Amino acid sequence: MYTVVERELELKLVLSPERSIPVPARLSYSTDDPYAVHIAFHIGSDHPVNWTFARELLVEGVFRPCGHGDVRVWPTKVAGRSVVLMALSSPDGDALLEAPAAQVSAWLERTLRAVPPGAEADQLGIDDGLAELLAPTPADDLWLRDPWPSDESKDGE
C-alpha cells in the first residue's frame, strides 16, 4: 500500500517584476515513486500541465539556489514574504513560478515523514528484488555440477 501526500495551493506565474497571475496547483508525492515530486498546474485548459522532478531538488531549493537546465529552484523574499521560485523550461516555453515558502515547506515535511531522506531505495524494494533474482533455485544445482570428470579422478570415481 502506498501513501500519497498532496497539497492544493495557489502559485503565481511571474510575467514581469510588476505583474503576475494566479495559477492553482497541486503538489503531489507518492511513496511508490519516492524520489519524485509532481506538480499539476491548472491553467484553464482541459488538462493540467504536469511537471515531475526530484524531491531533493525542491527540498534543497527551499534553503538555497539549486538545479540547472529544465528546473531551477531558489528561495527569496517578495514584498517581505518568503517565497520559493521555480524556473521551468521546456521546448514549449519557460515559466517562472512563485510559491509560498511556508506552505511548500510544510508539504515537504509531510513527504519527508512518509519517506525519510536516504530511505527512498528501501521503499522501492530494490534489495528484495535483487535478492529474489539472485537466489539459487533447484535447477542451479545442475549447472553447479561438473559435467566432466576431472583428470585427477581415479577409475570409476
Side-chain angles (χ1 to χ4, degrees):
M1 178 162 227
Y2 298 109
T3 300
V4 175
V5 180
E6 290 186 323
R7 171 78 191 241
E8 298 277 341
L9 65 131
E10 186 173 278
L11 304 180
K12 291 183 181 179
L13 176 61
V14 179
L15 303 174
S16 73
E18 302 82 29
R19 187 164 176 242
S20 63
I21 58 174
V23 177
R26 174 183 289 130
L27 301 175
S28 182
Y29 176 81
S30 179
T31 57
D32 70 334
D33 190 7
Y35 289 104
V37 294
H38 307 272
I39 304 178
F41 303 102
H42 303 281
I43 56 171
S45 63
D46 291 339
H47 303 286
V49 174
N50 296 298
W51 275 79
T52 300
F53 53 89
R55 175 177 70 164
E56 183 179 346
L57 181 65
L58 191 55
V59 168
E60 185 176 342
V62 168
F63 298 102
R64 67 189 138 276
C66 66
H68 60 280
D70 295 347
V71 180
R72 292 177 293 124
V73 184
W74 66 96
T76 193
K77 291 212 182 259
V78 173
R81 297 176 296 115
S82 293
V83 297
V84 177
L85 293 176
M86 294 177 278
L88 308 176
S89 297
S90 79
D92 296 325
D94 301 326
L96 178 60
L97 295 145
E98 178 185 304
Q103 292 177 9
V104 171
S105 295
W107 175 77
L108 281 171
E109 285 178 24
R110 290 175 47 213
T111 73
L112 295 170
R113 281 194 301 272
V115 178
E120 294 90 351
D122 298 340
Q123 195 66 33
L124 293 174
I126 292 172
D127 290 339
D128 294 339
L130 281 174
E132 185 178 331
L133 282 172
L134 299 174
T137 66
D140 291 336
D141 288 343
L142 296 174
W143 293 103
L144 296 175
R145 290 188 195 145
D146 188 0
W148 308 104
S150 167
D151 289 342
E152 297 173 9
S153 64
K154 295 183 181 172
D155 294 329
E157 284 185 32

